[in-house]
Structures are given as structure tokens and as C-alpha cells.
Amino acid sequence: MSKIIKNLKQFSTSNDRFEGAHLLCPGCAHSIIVRELLNCTDDNLVIANATGCLEVCTAVYPHTSWDASWIHIGFENAATAASGAEAMYKTLKRKGRLKDPDKPVKFVAFGGDGATYDIGFQFLSGAVERGHDFTYICLDNEVYANTGGQRSSSTPRGSSTTTTPAGRVSYGNKKFKKDMVAIMAAHGAPYVAQVAPNKWKDMVKKYQKALATEGPVYINAMSACTTEWKFPSQDTIDVSDLGTDSLVFPLYEIENGHKLTITYRPRNIVPVRDYLGVQGRFKHLFKKENQHIIDEMQKAVDLKWELLQRREEAGI
Amino acid sequence: MEYKGWDQVEVGAVVPSFADTSCDIVDLKQEDRNYAQTNSYTASVADWRVFKPVFSKDSCIDCQNCWVFCPDTAIVARDKNMLGIDYDHCKGCGICAEVCPTNPKSLIMFSENVDNDTVLSQWPEKKKKEK
């Protein structure tokens, strides 16, 4: 049974199951995303966590910030641990060995973009292919933030990271961002979506839909990183706003691998330049010799938006 | 609480969140829960703060924007009302002051060493919209 959330006032009566005094940076979007998942449901949760900022900072021995069952195994094993737990739960239920078999339990896996796009990719792909009933949430901050900001395959073109530093010769990362949402949709997952923390209602709706869906669900959550994206900690929501309004992070969902719905259309689409301008990792792009990267990015974003709109229209 | 040495920690540690075998945590408010010493709720990150948010009840409209966007679960909201800030868990990121929609703001960031009562007595007046 899903919880009904009408407005923010009513949502605020939820009892938090993600405790404070974890060690994530001040202004980190990870915990906003995680808190909303734990608050949007009353069901019991079994959470598997890949190595990354979230795991390292919420389970610092001897403390834990989770008021739900939580497990961490290895960097790549979030999807595997969740699918294993889910398989065992099903078996125990079938054999009638559960204490409270009617109580709904949901299986959730969290991973950063490094654990999802690179290291845990094969394992996630396998878990989705096997069709386990779980929700995978990727906290996409476009960089290996926990280990000091190395590039991942989610890092966008032109971003300066510690392994692709911008300078006299280079304009930063030369590779394009991998389109993980499309890849997961191509697996035929029943529900795939992209969310951003600033649109909380959209996020809660998608979370609830994801938890109610039977089968593997993939959610890509944009997570603004104050340390590696290099902006002041109070601007997390503003930067996320610019990300969704400039359509760098369009909010949409794909059902059964083909039915695409755009869930948020910005009233005023802001240029990608505005989104890049507030972040220190892109500041070298505003030099004269690097301006063509910004134009390229704008073109790519426009093209992607056009594609999404056409796919929505066609309904395929 | 007694800490274990590096050579006493077992592989695959289990850290309990609650002191009893609690079920249905979701129905309990934070103050009613029986937290274990190992729950981070019992810890504090107050010494991280350089700037602190100060809350003024007068202009607050209980919109709960601060509650939903707080990364540290440090906004105390009960029964649809905004009650204040949990200074044990607040890291002073300033998101709450940024997303506060009222005029004047109900949450403003101040330096950690100023007194809350002094600040509240000098709270800014409502600003007229500039045209």
C-alpha cells in the first residue's frame, strides 16, 4: 500500500528514517534524494549500498544513519546484494517461513555514478536481466567524488576533473556522458526514470511508482556535488534548478522500455551557458578558445530534447 | 561508549540502529524511538558549522520547503508545523535559508558566535518590492 502524499505540509508529517549526523558534505544532494525515498513509503525497506560517498559517510564505524535494514558488500555489488536478498525473501515466503508474510517489503539499491556507470554495470545489467523485483537508484554526481574527483563515464564533456584537468592544452574531459537511462530502458526494465532533488513532488511520484512496480526499476537521480562541481553549499537547489531548466537533466520516465513520458517541461528554458556558469568545474570553458565546447553542448542538449519530445509524441 | 581497537573489530560488523528489537519505526516520531548508542542520531556534527541558520517564527508560513530540502534531517517539523532547528545535526550548509520563500526570510544565516536572541530582536523588516 503506498502512502498518499498530497502536498508538502502533509509530506512533512513523515517520520524520518534517515538520521542526521552522517558525514556527507554540507549541502550534499545525496541525502536529500535518500531522505525522500525513505519518507515516501511506509513499507519496510531492505537497502543495499554500493561503495561511494553515501556508503562511506552514512556508516562510519561505530555509527549508522539508517533506520532500515542496510547492507554494504563491495563496490560493484549493490544490485547483486539487493537481488540476492529479494530472491531469499521470495523463497522464504513460498516456504512459509516468514514471521509476517503479509507485510510488504521493498528492495532498494543505491549506487553512485561510478558504481553504476562503470564498476557495477555488469552486475546491474545482470540483475535487471534476471528480472528481480528491486529499485536501483543511481546518485549521479558525474564524478568519483569520494576518492577525490576522478572522471567516470558519467562525466560530461568539458568538465575538469583530477584525471582530466583543464589547462593550457586540454579543455577537460573529452568523452561524452553515457546515456544510462536509455541503456537501462533497452534492457526492457518495466520502469526507468530520471529525477532531480529540486522537483520533490515529481521525485516522490516516481519513487512511489518505482516501488509499486513489480520487476527491476532503474532511477537516475541528478545529485549536485558542492565539492566537485565547485559551487557554494547553499546553492545546491539553485544549481539543480538550472540543471533541469536548461534541460541538461530532462525529467522523464520510460515504461516497459518504450513508452516515454516527459514529466517536467520548464516554462522558461535557460541556456546551458547559465548552468555551466555557476559551476567551477566548467569555468575554463568561458575562455575564448573553449567557447565552441559550450556551443556543442547546447546543440547536443537541444537535439536530445527534440528526440525526447518526438519519442513522447510517437508513443514508441 | 567504548570504542574497539583496530584489531578487535570483526570482519562483517553489524551495527544496530535501535536499542530494542524495534519494528514499525515508521510510526514513531524521532523523540519516541529507542535509539542505540550506535545510531548517528546520538552523535553531533555541530562543530562543523561556521554559519548557523536562525529561525524566526513570526514570518514563517509553515511551507516546509526547508524540511524537504534539508540534507541533514535538522529541521524539526511536527504536525505540519515548523518548530525549529536541530543544532546537533545542522552542518550550516545554508540551503534552508536559500529556499525560504517568505518576506522577510524566516531563516537567515548568521555567524556561529552571535547570540540567537540578539539576532531575533533585530530581525529585518518586510522589504517592499522594487519595481
Side-chain angles (χ1 to χ4, degrees):
Chain A
M1 191 191 75
S2 71
K3 191 165 154 183
I4 299 156
I5 293 160
K6 287 184 212 135
N7 52 34
L8 197 43
K9 271 198 185 191
Q10 190 217 349
F11 189 30
S12 76
T13 55
S14 324
N15 298 317
D16 271 299
R17 282 190 283 174
F18 185 67
E19 300 296 348
H22 50 71
L23 305 185
L24 290 162
C25 304
C28 180
H30 272 27
S31 36
I32 306 176
I33 296 164
V34 171
R35 264 190 72 208
E36 278 186 40
L37 178 93
L38 292 175
N39 284 337
C40 81
T41 175
D42 281 346
D43 297 342
N44 282 345
L45 291 169
V46 176
I47 297 165
N49 208 162
T51 309
C53 285
L54 184 69
E55 177 267 323
V56 166
C57 299
T58 54
V60 188
Y61 192 82
H63 287 119
T64 173
S65 299
W66 300 87
D67 293 351
S69 313
W70 181 89
I71 184 170
H72 164 246
I73 304 176
F75 208 137
E76 64 288 341
N77 287 349
T80 324
S83 49
E86 190 259 355
M88 190 181 86
Y89 175 77
K90 259 192 201 158
T91 311
L92 290 180
K93 196 171 184 176
R94 197 182 60 232
K95 290 185 176 168
R97 278 163 60 187
L98 284 181
K99 251 190 210 164
D100 201 351
D102 300 326
K103 190 135 189 155
V105 178
K106 304 287 181 203
F107 296 86
V108 180
F110 284 109
D113 63 288
T116 310
Y117 284 65
D118 302 341
I119 299 172
F121 182 63
Q122 176 205 329
F123 302 85
L124 173 61
S125 180
V128 173
E129 186 260 320
R130 291 191 298 271
H132 289 287
D133 181 15
F134 77 114
T135 304
Y136 192 99
I137 295 172
C138 169
L139 305 152
D140 185 4
N141 55 13
E142 305 192 321
V143 77
Y144 282 90
N146 177 39
T147 47
Q150 292 83 2
R151 76 162 281 274
S152 73
S153 56
S154 159
T155 309
R157 191 172 159 90
S159 166
S160 172
T161 67
T162 45
T163 44
T164 58
R168 239 179 320 130
V169 188
S170 168
Y171 55 80
N173 186 30
K174 291 191 171 55
K175 310 283 190 301
F176 292 94
K177 183 176 167 139
K178 188 149 94 182
D179 190 352
M180 195 66 180
V181 180
I183 296 172
M184 294 328 284
H187 279 74
Y191 187 66
V192 171
Q194 182 147 274
V195 300
N198 53 324
K199 300 286 169 226
W200 70 267
K201 202 162 188 179
D202 176 77
M203 195 155 156
V204 164
K205 254 190 211 162
K206 283 177 182 165
Y207 278 165
Q208 290 189 331
K209 205 168 169 181
L211 292 176
T213 306
E214 242 181 71
V217 174
Y218 176 79
I219 288 181
N220 202 52
M222 168 209 195
S223 178
C225 175
T226 63
T227 315
E228 298 303 336
W229 295 18
K230 300 189 177 74
F231 59 84
S233 64
Q234 72 270 24
D235 291 345
T236 307
I237 300 301
D238 293 353
V239 172
S240 309
D241 271 337
L242 284 170
T244 49
D245 286 353
S246 65
L247 302 172
V248 176
F249 276 92
L251 302 183
Y252 60 98
E253 55 187 25
I254 305 174
E255 281 164 86
N256 300 319
H258 62 88
K259 194 177 168 289
L260 189 143
T261 320
I262 296 170
T263 51
Y264 171 67
R265 288 165 197 279
R267 237 176 257 161
N268 301 312
I269 298 176
V270 296
V272 173
R273 180 176 283 271
D274 294 6
Y275 168 68
L276 305 180
V278 292
Q279 301 172 43
R281 62 173 176 159
F282 289 120
K283 72 165 189 262
H284 56 280
L285 293 184
F286 290 86
K287 279 187 205 157
K288 216 173 163 191
E289 65 268 25
N290 290 334
Q291 295 275 349
H292 65 281
I293 304 289
I294 301 183
D295 299 336
E296 252 176 48
M297 265 175 135
Q298 180 71 55
K299 246 183 227 163
V301 165
D302 289 347
L303 196 69
K304 170 94 190 176
W305 183 238
E306 179 75 30
L307 178 81
L308 289 178
Q309 279 179 317
R310 289 223 187 148
R311 273 192 69 182
E312 188 190 30
E313 229 172 82
I316 49 162
Chain B
M1 141 181 216
E2 217 167 277
Y3 289 88
K4 283 182 183 171
W6 65 271
D7 51 349
Q8 289 167 308
V9 180
E10 318 100 85
V11 179
V14 175
V15 183
S17 300
F18 300 99
D20 49 7
T21 49
S22 298
C23 293
D24 304 320
I25 291 304
V26 78
D27 303 329
L28 290 176
K29 289 194 171 63
Q30 282 178 315
E31 52 269 26
D32 301 333
R33 294 178 187 168
N34 189 2
Y35 286 113
Q37 278 292 302
T38 44
N39 196 306
S40 74
Y41 184 80
T42 58
S44 169
V45 283
D47 50 350
W48 288 37
R49 228 173 20 242
V50 181
F51 296 100
K52 64 175 174 184
V54 179
F55 171 60
S56 159
K57 187 79 208 163
D58 301 337
S59 50
C60 182
I61 54 168
D62 295 319
C63 68
Q64 308 295 0
N65 265 323
C66 50
W67 176 83
V68 76
F69 291 130
C70 177
D72 295 302
T73 329
I75 303 287
V76 186
R78 296 284 181 271
D79 304 324
K80 302 187 184 182
N81 291 318
M82 156 77 179
L83 298 186
I85 296 148
D86 177 354
Y87 282 116
D88 279 344
H89 297 136
C90 173
K91 292 176 189 153
C93 63
I95 291 180
C96 52
E98 197 74 12
V99 297
C100 183
T102 59
N103 180 13
K105 281 195 184 287
S106 321
L107 283 155
I108 302 180
M109 302 300 287
F110 289 98
S111 168
E112 183 63 25
N113 50 22
V114 299
D115 186 42
N116 276 12
D117 296 333
T118 343
V119 172
L120 282 172
S121 61
Q122 303 160 355
W123 204 258
E125 293 289 307
K126 186 173 177 176
K127 266 186 226 154
K128 273 183 187 162
K129 268 190 187 168
E130 285 172 29
K131 280 183 185 170

